[in-house]
Amino acid sequence: MSSCPALDCANALQVPPPLQPNPDISGIGVLVGFFATAYLAWILLVINYVWVFDPAEAGLAKEKHPTNPIDKMLVKFITRIIKRPEKTKKIWGNALEKARF
């Protein structure tokens, strides 16, 4: 059985040596991989919100306020700027619904 080392308070006040970066967890590949998937998810979310989301269809039928009023105003504002073709909702809606888990 080993014993615990004695606590030396003099060493507690010393400055630790500088840390060296580990390229396996902080390299450019890790950062690119993280940001690429984060931006891809964000872009798909924006596409879903702008082209597919319909405030009239969101929410449950029994709720008094099925959608958020901010969503209604934002989608109305965006659809004035970007016109949604009818086929877009059908094509993107099916693709994005199948991408959900």
Side-chain angles (χ1 to χ4, degrees):
M1 183 187 316
S2 67
S3 64
C4 294
L7 182 60
D8 186 10
C9 292
N11 289 336
L13 299 176
Q14 291 180 350
V15 177
L19 296 175
Q20 297 298 320
N22 185 349
D24 289 340
I25 59 172
S26 65
I28 190 72
V30 173
L31 294 175
V32 168
F34 172 75
F35 284 119
T37 55
Y39 280 123
L40 178 64
W42 184 78
I43 288 169
L44 288 175
L45 178 69
V46 169
I47 288 171
N48 185 18
Y49 190 76
V50 171
W51 283 350
V52 179
F53 179 71
D54 186 8
E57 295 176 2
L60 302 173
K62 296 179 183 178
E63 292 181 2
K64 287 195 290 186
H65 305 289
T67 58
N68 186 345
I70 295 172
D71 283 338
K72 285 183 183 180
M73 290 188 305
L74 188 60
V75 170
K76 185 187 247 185
F77 176 75
I78 291 172
T79 53
R80 283 188 212 156
I81 297 170
I82 301 172
K83 300 296 180 192
R84 292 193 239 184
E86 290 299 318
K87 291 183 181 180
T88 303
K89 181 176 179 185
K90 185 176 182 180
I91 294 170
W92 279 96
N94 291 336
L96 292 172
E97 285 294 324
K98 289 181 182 179
R100 292 184 184 175
F101 292 93

